[in-house]
């Protein structure tokens, strides 16, 4: 049984919010394997509790899963019995044992149903406070190839609500808890959270995803209409079910209080971070900025890399270092990025203009050639080591794949009003002026879903040396 000593140690630990949430998910998984139920060790006082007891059964609303499909698995009542929660089993005993079944990646997932009400199941906290108005949802997960699941398999299960960004409003902000059992190779999870019926006039979803915490890449949140959908391109498990609720029990005031309480608590936690954001450490000489324990750097190889009379390519190199970063996204206000692919000897000798829109020297991209290297232009086949194809105004790279093969990009700058036959200096001056109008937005996405953005701007220098004509720097 998880005791008060563990709880107090967790509360006193000097961890970032991201580290706490990841640790919480690990505790949740371990607790499930011991058939214990753990309430989210979260931010509010009411969120920093451990569930250990049982409570009385009160008036309960039972909601079946929806449109059903035949599925060989335990009923919600049997699952509750398996995790040794007698009161919850009695409650689920009134529900039909049918399932909505979906497949995703290597898994088959069944949503078995939900119940909502007061004092259902194991609802007494360590300090004796009773958690009322709870919703319980039951799922079954198995591998399609028949490989047995285990209690410690990393699976993230959370309710989502329309018009609430799931990166912020999820199982953590809803006082979430979990209990689990495995039978015949199938993993069963009972998810407990704050009562969901107050959201009944919105679409309510249940997400089942691989991993220990919410992944922004797994789902798409539409900020216009607030809907949440699966990312069909996600490589992994990202199931999304609709949760049927009694619309007559929707309570707008309760929803507003929930949002207000959450936002006020988040704001109360921000003073240190906000102070840091207002006074980032900027080192112009190193082309570096430090902010919120993240270091944003520009590598000296940033420079023009070959040009024609109408277009030039600028090799942009940045490196982001910090903890719990998942991806980095680069977005241009103007112009587009070009992906750099290392050319084979045959590709360099037989340049395909229909497939590639430019090419540049590897030495120029790596920044290894000293002095003015502007004579290494696109027409020089002997130096055509990188081929360029249009990639759009944005691209994303995984944190651990920065500046690796397959993740090199350049900015393609188009020169305007350059007359035919203009000298090289005139062409580059025009291109430099065009590039300085660009801003690169660099968005860091952390593993807990929150994001941070900093900008790269360009300064036009008064020189005829192409490699020094433009300086990239953090805004």
């Amino acid at each position: 049984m998880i005791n008060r000593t563990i709880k107090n140690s967790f509360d006193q630990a000097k961890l970032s919010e991201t580290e706490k949430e990841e640790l919480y998910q690990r505790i949740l998984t371990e607790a499930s394997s011991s058939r214990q139920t753990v309430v989210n060790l979260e931010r509010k006082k009411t969120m920093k509790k451990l569930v250990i007891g049982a409570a009385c059964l009160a008036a309960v609303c039972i909601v079946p899963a929806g449109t059903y499909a035949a599925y060989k698995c335990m009923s919600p009542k049997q699952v509750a019995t398996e995790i040794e929660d007698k009161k919850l089993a009695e409650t689920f005993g009134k529900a039909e044992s049918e399932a909505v079944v979906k497949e995703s990646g290597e898994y088959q997932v069944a949503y078995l149903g939900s119940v909502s009400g007061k004092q259902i199941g194991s609802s007494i906290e360590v300090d004796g406070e009773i958690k009322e108005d709870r919703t319980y949802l039951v799922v079954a997960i198995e591998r399609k190839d028949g490989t047995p699941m285990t209690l410690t398999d990393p699976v993230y299960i959370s309710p989502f609500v329309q018009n609430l960004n799931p990166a912020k409003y999820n199982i953590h902000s809803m006082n979430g808890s979990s209990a689990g059992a495995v039978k015949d190779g199938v993993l069963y999870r009972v998810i407990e959270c704050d009562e969901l019926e107050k959201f009944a006039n919105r679409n309510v979803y249940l997400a089942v995803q691989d991993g220990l915490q919410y992944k922004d890449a797994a789902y798409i949140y539409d900020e216009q209409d607030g809907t949440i959908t699966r990312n069909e391109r996600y490589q992994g498990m990202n199931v999304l079910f609709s949760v049927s609720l009694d619309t007559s029990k929707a309570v707008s005031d309760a929803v507003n209080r929930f949002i207000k309480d959450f936002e006020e608590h988040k704001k109360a936690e921000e003073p240190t971070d906000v102070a840091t954001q207002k006074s980032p450490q900027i080192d112009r000489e190193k082309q570096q900025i430090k902010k919120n324990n993240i270091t944003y750097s520009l590598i000296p190889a940033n420079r023009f890399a070959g040009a024609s009379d109408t277009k030039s390519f600028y090799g942009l190199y940045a490196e982001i270092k910090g903890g719990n970063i998942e991806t980095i996204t680069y977005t241009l206000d103007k112009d587009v990025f070009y992906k750099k692919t290392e050319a084979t000897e045959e590709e360099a000798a037989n340049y395909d203009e229909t497939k590639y829109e430019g090419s540049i020297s590897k030495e120029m991209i790596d920044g290894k050639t000293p002095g003015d290297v502007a004579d290494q232009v696109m027409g020089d086949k002997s130096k055509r080591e990188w081929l360029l194809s249009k990639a759009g105004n944005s691209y994303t790279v995984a944190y651990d794949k920065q500046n690796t093969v397959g993740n090199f990009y350049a900015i393609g700058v188009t020169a305007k009003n350059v007359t035919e036959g203009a000298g090289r200096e005139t062409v580059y001056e025009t291109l430099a002026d065009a590039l300085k109008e660009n801003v690169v937005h660099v968005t860091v996405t952390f593993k807990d879903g929150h994001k941070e953005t900093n900008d790269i701007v360009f300064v036009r220098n008064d020189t005829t040396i192409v490699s020094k004509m433009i300086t990239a720097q953090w805004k």
Side-chain angles (χ1 to χ4, degrees):
M1 180 175 293
I2 296 178
N3 56 32
R4 184 181 294 274
T5 301
I6 295 176
K7 172 188 178 296
N8 290 340
S9 298
F10 184 92
D11 291 344
Q12 294 168 12
K14 294 182 178 180
L15 301 174
S16 68
E17 198 62 33
T18 299
E19 291 169 333
K20 282 189 177 182
E21 290 190 0
E22 184 171 350
L23 178 59
Y24 156 67
Q25 284 294 337
R26 294 188 183 279
I27 293 173
L28 198 66
T29 301
E30 292 298 326
S32 293
S33 68
S34 301
R35 292 182 184 176
Q36 297 174 5
T37 305
V38 182
V39 168
N40 183 16
L41 303 175
E42 253 286 350
R43 294 165 284 266
K44 301 179 186 177
K45 290 182 179 179
T46 57
M47 294 181 183
K48 294 181 178 177
K49 310 290 183 182
L50 298 177
V51 178
I52 62 171
C56 300
L57 178 67
V60 174
C61 173
I62 300 176
V63 183
T67 303
Y68 300 109
Y71 187 70
K72 296 180 180 180
C73 62
M74 291 193 292
S75 68
K77 178 181 178 180
Q78 291 171 319
V79 176
T81 301
E82 194 71 17
I83 65 172
E84 301 176 356
D85 194 326
K86 182 179 178 180
K87 293 298 182 181
L88 183 60
E90 291 176 359
T91 305
F92 269 123
K94 303 175 185 179
E96 299 178 25
S97 57
E98 296 176 293
V100 177
V101 184
K102 295 187 178 183
E103 294 185 354
S104 179
E106 301 174 356
Y107 299 88
Q108 181 168 274
V109 184
Y111 168 41
L112 306 182
S114 68
V115 292
S116 293
K118 293 185 177 183
Q119 304 173 26
I120 305 173
S122 300
S123 303
I124 296 181
E125 300 188 359
V126 171
D127 58 5
E129 179 186 347
I130 296 177
K131 298 189 73 65
E132 297 184 344
D133 299 320
R134 305 289 280 170
T135 293
Y136 292 75
L137 307 103
V138 185
V139 298
I141 307 161
E142 66 177 316
R143 291 187 176 90
K144 291 190 290 186
D145 65 2
T147 303
M149 299 289 292
T150 68
L151 286 168
T152 56
D153 280 331
V155 178
Y156 176 85
I157 306 173
S158 176
F160 296 156
V161 180
Q162 182 181 10
N163 293 121
L164 296 180
N165 189 334
K168 294 170 56 179
Y169 296 94
N170 50 47
I171 190 70
H172 304 296
S173 56
M174 297 178 188
N175 286 317
S177 67
S178 173
V182 170
K183 190 167 185 178
D184 298 327
V186 179
L187 172 61
Y188 296 89
R189 284 281 183 87
V190 178
I191 303 301
E192 177 191 3
C193 63
D194 290 338
E195 173 266 314
L196 295 175
E197 287 182 330
K198 59 179 172 287
F199 301 111
N201 58 355
R202 309 185 184 198
N203 290 324
V204 177
Y205 315 85
L206 182 65
V208 183
Q209 167 218 291
D210 52 15
L212 289 174
Q213 53 189 291
Y214 173 75
K215 296 181 181 179
D216 189 57
Y219 300 96
I220 300 171
Y221 175 62
D222 190 323
E223 294 185 358
Q224 298 299 316
D225 61 15
T227 56
I228 301 166
T229 55
R230 293 178 60 242
N231 182 355
E232 300 290 344
R233 296 183 179 181
Y234 179 73
Q235 299 297 310
M237 176 172 63
N238 63 337
V239 178
L240 197 65
F241 297 100
S242 293
V243 178
S244 298
L245 298 169
D246 185 347
T247 56
S248 68
K249 296 191 175 182
V251 183
S252 297
D253 288 345
V255 172
N256 293 335
R257 284 196 303 273
F258 167 76
I259 296 172
K260 182 180 178 181
D261 288 346
F262 176 80
E263 294 297 337
E264 286 182 350
H265 180 76
K266 289 294 291 182
K267 186 176 181 180
E269 288 186 333
E270 290 177 354
T272 301
D273 287 343
V274 170
T276 303
Q277 290 176 7
K278 289 182 178 178
S279 56
Q281 301 175 18
I282 301 174
D283 189 328
R284 295 296 186 197
E285 184 177 347
K286 293 183 179 180
Q287 293 183 298
Q288 189 179 88
I289 182 172
K290 293 183 179 180
K291 188 175 180 181
N292 299 331
N293 297 318
I294 305 298
T295 301
Y296 299 81
S297 299
L298 291 171
I299 299 173
N302 295 305
R303 63 176 65 195
F304 276 126
S308 66
D309 285 345
T310 59
K311 183 173 291 184
S312 178
F313 298 100
Y314 185 88
L316 179 67
Y317 281 82
E319 185 175 46
I320 316 299
K321 290 185 178 181
N324 298 306
I325 298 174
E326 188 165 31
T327 60
I328 300 101
T329 299
Y330 295 84
T331 304
L332 273 170
D333 272 352
K334 298 173 61 179
D335 296 311
V336 295
F337 287 109
Y338 285 77
K339 187 172 184 178
K340 304 192 284 282
T341 303
E342 190 165 13
T344 64
E345 185 176 345
E346 181 180 354
E347 287 174 324
N350 301 287
Y351 179 64
D352 186 351
E353 294 184 357
T354 62
K355 185 176 181 180
Y356 300 104
E357 297 192 32
S359 64
I360 46 183
S361 164
K362 185 177 180 180
E363 284 79 5
M364 295 180 66
I365 287 295
D366 290 342
K368 295 178 180 178
T369 303
D372 183 2
V373 294
D375 288 333
Q376 299 182 40
V377 296
M378 291 187 292
D380 189 344
K381 291 183 180 180
S382 66
K383 298 183 182 300
R384 183 178 285 152
E385 298 184 42
W386 290 99
L387 304 179
L388 296 141
S389 54
K390 186 178 291 187
N393 75 323
S394 182
Y395 72 90
T396 299
V397 60
Y399 176 70
D400 59 350
K401 299 295 183 182
Q402 297 180 78
N403 300 317
T404 59
V405 174
N407 290 295
F408 294 124
Y409 291 81
I411 300 173
V413 185
T414 302
K416 297 181 179 180
N417 301 320
V418 176
T419 59
E420 185 177 353
R424 187 182 64 125
E425 182 178 331
T426 302
V427 171
Y428 274 112
E429 287 176 350
T430 304
L431 291 168
D433 286 335
L435 184 59
K436 75 177 184 179
E437 298 299 322
N438 257 306
V439 176
V440 182
H441 305 288
V442 183
T443 300
V444 174
T445 299
F446 296 86
K447 292 179 181 179
D448 65 358
H450 84 275
K451 300 180 180 182
E452 177 176 300
T453 299
N454 287 284
D455 294 340
I456 298 172
V457 295
F458 302 92
V459 177
R460 166 80 157 82
N461 300 314
D462 187 15
T463 178
T464 58
I465 301 176
V466 173
S467 61
K468 298 180 180 180
M469 195 170 285
I470 279 285
T471 300
Q473 63 182 39
W474 296 99
K475 185 175 180 180

